[in-house]
């Protein structure tokens, strides 16, 4: 079943000095297809279904992050409906801290496998062998099913092994990258484990190409991903002004290297 669309809103913020909105941006725009421009943060209004998905994933990830404690030392307990996107990203960040690149990726793999019924990867391979139809079908499913996680996206035509097919998905501005502001989380907690999961567990090659200039990302079903050392993301520096754990002096994000 496709996820319910979430409403996206972005608006001009009031001036701290005057409390008034800039004249040229005095309206609030709401749409289900367009994120905020680069430099502005998209505001999502998630429905119950989106929050349920966030809660399910976050609770699985807490196994690797450890339960968050309240100021008094009591373990914080949340119902699946109590999670929002910020707390979901916070759990992801806690999974990353103190783990190597390989350990982070393995943790995500285990979480993804735990969300599936027994034998699901084998059944997927039978239903979706790596054909053009399977690639295009999964691209079409990605747009609604991953909307809560990455934001608005659309199916696009790509070239795979010299053949043009509609098995690409263009994520217009990745919600996960926008909210985390972390290159290491993008690569180790999303790109690499997702590629590996589809390619190795499901037998359907997938390559993800994040664009760190505008936070968009292209997913190409049917294309075998390159080794990390040959991938352009392996040379990507941190977002010094966005990431709370960045290393501005480093030429390459340390989390990608370790």
């Amino acid at each position: 079943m496709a996820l319910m669309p979430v409403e996206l809103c972005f608006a001009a913020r009031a001036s701290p000095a005057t409390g008034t909105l800039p004249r040229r941006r005095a309206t609030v725009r709401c749409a289900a297809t367009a994120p905020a421009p680069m430099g502005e943060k998209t505001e999502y209004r998630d429905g119950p279904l989106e929050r349920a998905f966030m809660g399910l994933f976050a609770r699985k990830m807490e196994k690797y992050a450890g339960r968050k404690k309240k100021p008094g030392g009591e373990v914080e307990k949340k119902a699946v409906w109590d999670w929002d996107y910020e707390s979901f990203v916070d759990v992801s960040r806690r999974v990353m801290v103190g783990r190597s690149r390989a350990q982070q990726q393995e943790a995500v793999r285990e979480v993804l496998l735990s969300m599936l019924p027994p034998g699901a990867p084998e059944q997927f391979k039978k239903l979706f062998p790596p054909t053009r139809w399977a690639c295009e079908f999964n691209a079409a499913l990605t747009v609604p099913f991953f909307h809560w996680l990455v934001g608005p996206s659309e199916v696009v035509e790509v070239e795979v092994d010299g053949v043009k097919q509609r098995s690409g998905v263009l994520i217009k501005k990745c919600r996960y990258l926008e909210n985390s502001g972390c290159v290491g989380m993008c690569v180790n907690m999303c790109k690499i484990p997702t590629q590996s999961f589809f390619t190795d567990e499901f037998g359907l090659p997938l390559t993800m190409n994040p664009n760190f200039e505008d936070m968009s990302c292209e997913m190409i079903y049917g294309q075998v991903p390159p080794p990390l050392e040959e991938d352009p993301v392996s040379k990507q520096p941190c977002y010094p002004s966005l990431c709370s754990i960045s290393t501005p002096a480093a030429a390459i994000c340390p989390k990608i290297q370790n």
Side-chain angles (χ1 to χ4, degrees):
M1 182 180 67
L3 298 183
M4 295 169 60
V6 295
E7 183 181 12
L8 290 117
C9 298
F10 51 93
R13 297 185 181 275
S15 167
T18 64
T20 59
L21 292 172
R23 185 174 300 174
R24 67 184 180 88
R25 298 203 62 198
T27 59
V28 176
R29 291 188 288 164
C30 296
T33 56
M38 190 65 180
E40 298 179 36
K41 190 172 181 179
T42 309
E43 295 181 20
Y44 291 79
R45 294 181 182 175
D46 298 304
L49 189 56
E50 288 78 31
R51 293 176 73 92
F53 270 88
M54 293 170 198
L56 288 170
F57 269 84
R59 291 175 76 173
K60 292 285 187 179
M61 293 176 71
E62 272 194 319
K63 174 183 176 182
Y64 300 91
R67 288 289 187 93
K68 198 170 184 179
K69 295 184 178 181
K70 296 179 181 179
E74 183 183 354
V75 174
E76 186 177 23
K77 296 181 180 179
K78 283 186 177 183
V80 69
W81 309 104
D82 294 334
W83 294 85
D84 57 18
Y85 202 84
E86 284 70 26
S87 54
F88 166 73
V89 171
D90 177 66
V91 172
S92 299
R93 186 175 289 108
R94 286 189 282 125
V95 170
M96 180 183 69
V97 173
R99 284 184 169 84
S100 68
R101 183 182 71 203
Q103 289 171 332
Q104 294 168 49
Q105 295 167 14
E106 179 60 22
V108 176
R109 174 183 173 275
E110 292 295 329
V111 168
L112 292 174
L113 284 173
S114 71
M115 299 292 291
L116 301 174
E122 290 74 20
Q123 289 300 317
F124 186 96
K125 290 177 182 178
K126 293 178 182 178
L127 291 171
F128 302 108
T131 62
R132 174 176 175 173
W133 177 86
C135 293
E136 293 185 337
F137 183 75
N138 277 273
L141 286 180
T142 295
V143 174
F145 273 93
F146 284 87
H147 193 288
W148 72 270
L149 178 61
V150 299
S153 62
E154 62 181 351
V155 174
V156 294
E157 185 179 74
V158 293
E159 187 171 308
V160 179
D161 296 329
V163 177
K164 291 185 178 180
Q165 55 191 46
R166 291 183 61 79
S167 66
V169 175
L170 178 62
I171 299 167
K172 298 180 181 181
K173 187 182 184 186
C174 180
R175 186 179 187 182
Y176 190 70
L177 180 57
E178 181 182 32
N179 277 263
S180 68
C182 182
V183 170
M185 287 177 67
C186 167
V187 175
N188 295 335
M189 304 289 290
C190 182
K191 171 184 161 64
I192 300 299
T194 304
Q195 288 181 167
S196 177
F197 195 75
F198 274 90
T199 303
D200 301 330
E201 303 294 337
F202 283 167
L204 187 68
L206 171 66
T207 295
M208 299 178 69
N209 298 316
N211 182 332
F212 293 101
E213 295 296 321
D214 62 6
M215 294 187 174
S216 65
C217 182
E218 184 181 49
M219 303 175 69
I220 305 176
Y221 287 95
Q223 184 175 92
V224 177
L228 180 61
E229 57 270 17
E230 298 176 16
D231 195 310
V233 301
S234 64
K235 306 298 182 185
Q236 183 65 34
C238 294
Y239 280 128
S241 62
L242 298 178
C243 183
S244 60
I245 55 174
S246 67
T247 308
I252 301 172
C253 174
K255 285 296 180 182
I256 299 176
Q257 298 176 297
N258 300 325

